[in-house]
Tab-separated table of all heavy atoms in Angstrom:
chain	number	residue	atom	x	y	z
G	510	LEU	N	88.608	83.333	87.986
G	510	LEU	CA	88.074	82.137	87.336
G	510	LEU	C	89.170	81.091	87.167
G	510	LEU	O	89.221	80.379	86.170
G	510	LEU	CB	87.467	82.519	85.974
G	510	LEU	CG	86.434	83.648	86.000
G	510	LEU	CD1	85.961	83.960	84.581
G	510	LEU	CD2	85.249	83.300	86.889
G	511	HIS	N	90.029	81.016	88.174
G	511	HIS	CA	91.199	80.131	88.078
G	511	HIS	C	90.811	78.659	87.943
G	511	HIS	O	91.565	77.853	87.402
G	511	HIS	CB	92.081	80.333	89.305
G	511	HIS	CG	93.390	79.605	89.251
G	511	HIS	ND1	94.195	79.591	88.132
G	511	HIS	CD2	94.045	78.856	90.187
G	511	HIS	CE1	95.275	78.878	88.376
G	511	HIS	NE2	95.203	78.423	89.610
G	512	LYS	N	89.634	78.297	88.413
G	512	LYS	CA	89.183	76.905	88.312
G	512	LYS	C	88.999	76.474	86.851
G	512	LYS	O	88.901	75.275	86.566
G	512	LYS	CB	87.864	76.716	89.064
G	512	LYS	CG	87.998	76.710	90.574
G	512	LYS	CD	88.614	75.420	91.076
G	512	LYS	CE	88.562	75.345	92.600
G	512	LYS	NZ	89.167	74.100	93.125
G	513	LEU	N	88.952	77.432	85.935
G	513	LEU	CA	88.802	77.100	84.520
G	513	LEU	C	90.133	76.732	83.864
G	513	LEU	O	90.147	76.203	82.754
G	513	LEU	CB	88.178	78.285	83.768
G	513	LEU	CG	86.791	78.732	84.244
G	513	LEU	CD1	86.284	79.869	83.376
G	513	LEU	CD2	85.808	77.563	84.232
G	514	THR	N	91.234	77.025	84.534
G	514	THR	CA	92.543	76.760	83.930
G	514	THR	C	92.774	75.281	83.630
G	514	THR	O	93.186	74.937	82.511
G	514	THR	CB	93.662	77.319	84.823
G	514	THR	OG1	93.498	78.734	84.963
G	514	THR	CG2	95.028	77.032	84.230
G	515	PRO	N	92.512	74.342	84.575
G	515	PRO	CA	92.776	72.929	84.257
G	515	PRO	C	91.996	72.396	83.056
G	515	PRO	O	92.608	71.790	82.157
G	515	PRO	CB	92.417	72.199	85.561
G	515	PRO	CG	92.642	73.214	86.631
G	515	PRO	CD	92.203	74.519	86.016
G	516	PRO	N	90.668	72.593	82.956
G	516	PRO	CA	89.989	72.048	81.780
G	516	PRO	C	90.455	72.675	80.476
G	516	PRO	O	90.590	71.970	79.449
G	516	PRO	CB	88.502	72.324	82.054
G	516	PRO	CG	88.468	73.367	83.096
G	516	PRO	CD	89.688	73.161	83.911
G	517	LEU	N	90.696	73.970	80.463
G	517	LEU	CA	91.163	74.612	79.241
G	517	LEU	C	92.566	74.131	78.876
G	517	LEU	O	92.880	73.953	77.694
G	517	LEU	CB	91.136	76.124	79.408
G	517	LEU	CG	89.740	76.755	79.547
G	517	LEU	CD1	89.854	78.243	79.847
G	517	LEU	CD2	88.907	76.531	78.299
G	518	ALA	N	93.401	73.920	79.889
G	518	ALA	CA	94.747	73.404	79.626
G	518	ALA	C	94.696	71.981	79.068
G	518	ALA	O	95.510	71.604	78.213
G	518	ALA	CB	95.581	73.437	80.907
G	519	VAL	N	93.736	71.196	79.534
G	519	VAL	CA	93.565	69.842	78.998
G	519	VAL	C	93.212	69.910	77.517
G	519	VAL	O	93.781	69.193	76.682
G	519	VAL	CB	92.481	69.081	79.787
G	519	VAL	CG1	92.090	67.793	79.062
G	519	VAL	CG2	92.977	68.770	81.194
G	520	LEU	N	92.280	70.783	77.170
G	520	LEU	CA	91.882	70.925	75.765
G	520	LEU	C	93.059	71.377	74.911
G	520	LEU	O	93.274	70.874	73.804
G	520	LEU	CB	90.731	71.921	75.651
G	520	LEU	CG	89.403	71.504	76.286
G	520	LEU	CD1	88.417	72.671	76.263
G	520	LEU	CD2	88.816	70.288	75.586
G	521	GLN	N	93.826	72.329	75.435
G	521	GLN	CA	94.997	72.792	74.702
G	521	GLN	C	96.015	71.670	74.552
G	521	GLN	O	96.623	71.508	73.484
G	521	GLN	CB	95.619	73.994	75.421
G	521	GLN	CG	96.816	74.590	74.705
G	521	GLN	CD	97.224	75.921	75.288
G	521	GLN	OE1	96.730	76.968	74.908
G	521	GLN	NE2	98.145	75.898	76.239
G	522	GLY	N	96.186	70.875	75.604
G	522	GLY	CA	97.111	69.748	75.534
G	522	GLY	C	96.707	68.683	74.535
G	522	GLY	O	97.551	67.917	74.064
G	523	ARG	N	95.430	68.630	74.191
G	523	ARG	CA	94.946	67.685	73.183
G	523	ARG	C	95.104	68.212	71.770
G	523	ARG	O	94.668	67.573	70.801
G	523	ARG	CB	93.476	67.349	73.466
G	523	ARG	CG	93.279	66.528	74.735
G	523	ARG	CD	91.796	66.348	75.068
G	523	ARG	NE	91.639	65.563	76.299
G	523	ARG	CZ	90.497	65.422	76.966
G	523	ARG	NH1	89.389	66.049	76.528
G	523	ARG	NH2	90.442	64.706	78.062
G	524	GLY	N	95.709	69.388	71.634
G	524	GLY	CA	96.001	69.925	70.317
G	524	GLY	C	95.013	70.931	69.796
G	524	GLY	O	95.181	71.455	68.678
G	525	PHE	N	93.986	71.256	70.569
G	525	PHE	CA	92.992	72.218	70.105
G	525	PHE	C	93.495	73.648	70.305
G	525	PHE	O	94.284	73.929	71.205
G	525	PHE	CB	91.665	72.031	70.846
G	525	PHE	CG	91.024	70.685	70.622
G	525	PHE	CD1	90.843	69.798	71.668
G	525	PHE	CD2	90.615	70.292	69.349
G	525	PHE	CE1	90.254	68.555	71.481
G	525	PHE	CE2	90.029	69.058	69.140
G	525	PHE	CZ	89.856	68.181	70.199
G	526	ARG	N	93.017	74.551	69.437
G	526	ARG	CA	93.294	75.979	69.581
G	526	ARG	C	92.233	76.547	70.510
G	526	ARG	O	91.054	76.605	70.160
G	526	ARG	CB	93.235	76.690	68.228
G	526	ARG	CG	94.093	76.044	67.150
G	526	ARG	CD	95.561	76.317	67.342
G	526	ARG	NE	95.900	77.710	67.152
G	526	ARG	CZ	97.124	78.203	67.341
G	526	ARG	NH1	98.111	77.405	67.753
G	526	ARG	NH2	97.372	79.489	67.142
G	527	VAL	N	92.649	76.950	71.713
G	527	VAL	CA	91.714	77.300	72.774
G	527	VAL	C	92.077	78.662	73.359
G	527	VAL	O	93.265	78.992	73.498
G	527	VAL	CB	91.740	76.244	73.898
G	527	VAL	CG1	90.781	76.603	75.011
G	527	VAL	CG2	91.420	74.878	73.346
G	528	ALA	N	91.060	79.451	73.702
G	528	ALA	CA	91.288	80.713	74.412
G	528	ALA	C	90.080	80.992	75.295
G	528	ALA	O	88.992	80.445	75.095
G	528	ALA	CB	91.502	81.861	73.435
G	529	LEU	N	90.295	81.865	76.269
G	529	LEU	CA	89.239	82.331	77.156
G	529	LEU	C	89.092	83.832	76.973
G	529	LEU	O	90.094	84.557	76.911
G	529	LEU	CB	89.585	82.026	78.610
G	529	LEU	CG	88.641	82.588	79.679
G	529	LEU	CD1	87.286	81.886	79.625
G	529	LEU	CD2	89.257	82.457	81.078
G	530	VAL	N	87.845	84.297	76.888
G	530	VAL	CA	87.545	85.729	76.858
G	530	VAL	C	86.494	85.980	77.929
G	530	VAL	O	85.436	85.346	77.924
G	530	VAL	CB	87.017	86.171	75.479
G	530	VAL	CG1	86.640	87.643	75.508
G	530	VAL	CG2	88.068	85.918	74.393
G	531	THR	N	86.767	86.907	78.849
G	531	THR	CA	85.850	87.113	79.976
G	531	THR	C	85.966	88.517	80.537
G	531	THR	O	87.029	89.154	80.440
G	531	THR	CB	86.126	86.087	81.091
G	531	THR	OG1	85.198	86.290	82.165
G	531	THR	CG2	87.531	86.209	81.634
G	532	ASP	N	84.855	88.993	81.116
G	532	ASP	CA	84.905	90.248	81.861
G	532	ASP	C	85.232	89.998	83.331
G	532	ASP	O	85.205	90.924	84.144
G	532	ASP	CB	83.620	91.056	81.716
G	532	ASP	CG	82.343	90.249	81.932
G	532	ASP	OD1	82.444	89.072	82.346
G	532	ASP	OD2	81.244	90.777	81.684
G	533	GLY	N	85.573	88.764	83.673
G	533	GLY	CA	86.046	88.430	85.004
G	533	GLY	C	87.555	88.486	85.090
G	533	GLY	O	88.235	88.975	84.189
G	534	ARG	N	88.085	87.971	86.192
G	534	ARG	CA	89.527	87.960	86.430
G	534	ARG	C	90.034	86.527	86.365
G	534	ARG	O	89.280	85.564	86.502
G	534	ARG	CB	89.864	88.541	87.803
G	534	ARG	CG	89.481	89.986	87.978
G	534	ARG	CD	89.890	90.505	89.341
G	534	ARG	NE	89.202	89.855	90.436
G	534	ARG	CZ	89.762	89.374	91.542
G	534	ARG	NH1	91.072	89.456	91.701
G	534	ARG	NH2	89.045	88.814	92.485
G	535	MET	N	91.324	86.387	86.170
G	535	MET	CA	92.005	85.114	86.352
G	535	MET	C	93.003	85.284	87.488
G	535	MET	O	93.464	86.391	87.764
G	535	MET	CB	92.730	84.671	85.083
G	535	MET	CG	91.799	84.268	83.959
G	535	MET	SD	90.867	82.759	84.303
G	535	MET	CE	92.096	81.510	83.964
G	536	SER	N	93.353	84.215	88.122
G	536	SER	CA	94.325	84.269	89.204
G	536	SER	C	95.672	84.733	88.684
G	536	SER	O	96.003	84.557	87.511
G	536	SER	CB	94.464	82.878	89.833
G	536	SER	OG	95.611	82.807	90.633
G	537	GLY	N	96.468	85.287	89.591
G	537	GLY	CA	97.849	85.599	89.247
G	537	GLY	C	98.649	84.365	88.878
G	537	GLY	O	99.738	84.461	88.308
G	538	ALA	N	98.124	83.193	89.180
G	538	ALA	CA	98.802	81.937	88.842
G	538	ALA	C	98.284	81.339	87.553
G	538	ALA	O	98.513	80.174	87.267
G	538	ALA	CB	98.619	80.927	89.977
G	539	SER	N	97.552	82.127	86.746
G	539	SER	CA	96.975	81.604	85.517
G	539	SER	C	98.065	81.015	84.629
G	539	SER	O	99.177	81.526	84.551
G	539	SER	CB	96.234	82.715	84.773
G	539	SER	OG	95.206	83.234	85.586
G	540	GLY	N	97.699	79.968	83.917
G	540	GLY	CA	98.691	79.202	83.168
G	540	GLY	C	98.847	79.629	81.726
G	540	GLY	O	98.683	80.790	81.376
G	541	ASN	N	99.132	78.645	80.849
G	541	ASN	CA	99.575	78.961	79.497
G	541	ASN	C	98.465	78.972	78.458
G	541	ASN	O	98.733	78.933	77.259
G	541	ASN	CB	100.680	77.984	79.069
G	541	ASN	CG	100.220	76.537	79.100
G	541	ASN	OD1	99.030	76.247	79.225
G	541	ASN	ND2	101.169	75.612	78.973
G	542	VAL	N	97.214	79.005	78.885
G	542	VAL	CA	96.101	79.146	77.953
G	542	VAL	C	95.870	80.633	77.695
G	542	VAL	O	95.759	81.416	78.645
G	542	VAL	CB	94.814	78.513	78.526
G	542	VAL	CG1	93.633	78.767	77.595
G	542	VAL	CG2	95.006	77.019	78.740
G	543	PRO	N	95.813	81.075	76.424
G	543	PRO	CA	95.558	82.493	76.150
G	543	PRO	C	94.243	82.936	76.782
G	543	PRO	O	93.205	82.301	76.581
G	543	PRO	CB	95.472	82.552	74.621
G	543	PRO	CG	96.130	81.306	74.136
G	543	PRO	CD	95.936	80.272	75.197
G	544	ALA	N	94.282	84.014	77.547
G	544	ALA	CA	93.092	84.486	78.252
G	544	ALA	C	93.009	85.998	78.152
G	544	ALA	O	93.878	86.703	78.679
G	544	ALA	CB	93.114	84.036	79.710
G	545	ALA	N	91.987	86.494	77.452
G	545	ALA	CA	91.693	87.926	77.400
G	545	ALA	C	90.724	88.215	78.536
G	545	ALA	O	89.558	87.832	78.493
G	545	ALA	CB	91.084	88.293	76.061
G	546	ILE	N	91.217	88.866	79.561
G	546	ILE	CA	90.448	89.028	80.789
G	546	ILE	C	90.186	90.506	81.073
G	546	ILE	O	90.718	91.389	80.398
G	546	ILE	CB	91.172	88.367	81.982
G	546	ILE	CG1	92.543	89.003	82.196
G	546	ILE	CG2	91.309	86.871	81.751
G	546	ILE	CD1	93.300	88.478	83.402
G	547	HIS	N	89.363	90.765	82.079
G	547	HIS	CA	89.008	92.136	82.472
G	547	HIS	C	88.336	92.874	81.321
G	547	HIS	O	88.440	94.107	81.230
G	547	HIS	CB	90.240	92.941	82.923
G	547	HIS	CG	91.069	92.317	83.986
G	547	HIS	ND1	92.251	92.883	84.433
G	547	HIS	CD2	90.943	91.168	84.694
G	547	HIS	CE1	92.785	92.121	85.371
G	547	HIS	NE2	92.007	91.073	85.547
G	548	VAL	N	87.652	92.178	80.413
G	548	VAL	CA	87.046	92.857	79.267
G	548	VAL	C	86.166	94.005	79.767
G	548	VAL	O	85.311	93.823	80.634
G	548	VAL	CB	86.223	91.880	78.414
G	548	VAL	CG1	85.491	92.643	77.301
G	548	VAL	CG2	87.127	90.825	77.789
G	549	SER	N	86.412	95.169	79.233
G	549	SER	CA	85.745	96.385	79.699
G	549	SER	C	85.237	97.182	78.497
G	549	SER	O	85.963	97.335	77.518
G	549	SER	CB	86.737	97.224	80.512
G	549	SER	OG	86.150	98.369	81.061
G	550	PRO	N	83.979	97.665	78.546
G	550	PRO	CA	83.020	97.551	79.634
G	550	PRO	C	82.533	96.112	79.819
G	550	PRO	O	82.520	95.337	78.862
G	550	PRO	CB	81.859	98.442	79.183
G	550	PRO	CG	82.379	99.265	78.056
G	550	PRO	CD	83.461	98.476	77.433
G	551	GLU	N	82.123	95.791	81.035
G	551	GLU	CA	81.616	94.454	81.311
G	551	GLU	C	80.236	94.268	80.681
G	551	GLU	O	79.535	95.225	80.343
G	551	GLU	CB	81.539	94.210	82.813
G	551	GLU	CG	80.554	95.102	83.550
G	551	GLU	CD	80.454	94.761	85.034
G	551	GLU	OE1	79.816	93.734	85.340
G	551	GLU	OE2	81.024	95.504	85.859
G	552	ALA	N	79.820	93.008	80.547
G	552	ALA	CA	78.563	92.704	79.858
G	552	ALA	C	77.371	93.402	80.508
G	552	ALA	O	76.496	93.933	79.817
G	552	ALA	CB	78.342	91.199	79.819
G	553	LEU	N	77.333	93.427	81.848
G	553	LEU	CA	76.184	94.005	82.527
G	553	LEU	C	76.092	95.514	82.340
G	553	LEU	O	75.030	96.097	82.473
G	553	LEU	CB	76.230	93.664	84.021
G	553	LEU	CG	74.984	94.038	84.830
G	553	LEU	CD1	73.754	93.281	84.327
G	553	LEU	CD2	75.187	93.765	86.313
G	554	ALA	N	77.206	96.150	82.003
G	554	ALA	CA	77.233	97.607	81.805
G	554	ALA	C	77.161	97.964	80.326
G	554	ALA	O	77.617	99.042	79.916
G	554	ALA	CB	78.486	98.190	82.438
G	555	GLY	N	76.596	97.075	79.522
G	555	GLY	CA	76.463	97.349	78.094
G	555	GLY	C	77.662	96.950	77.274
G	555	GLY	O	77.777	97.339	76.104
Side-chain angles (χ1 to χ4, degrees):
L510 307 178
H511 187 45
K512 286 286 188 181
L513 300 182
T514 300
L517 293 174
V519 168
L520 294 172
Q521 182 169 272
R523 291 174 180 168
F525 298 116
R526 308 285 293 176
V527 180
L529 174 69
V530 177
T531 181
D532 48 8
R534 297 182 296 133
M535 290 292 281
S536 165
S539 300
N541 59 12
V542 175
I546 60 176
H547 307 176
V548 175
S549 184
E551 64 177 285
L553 188 62

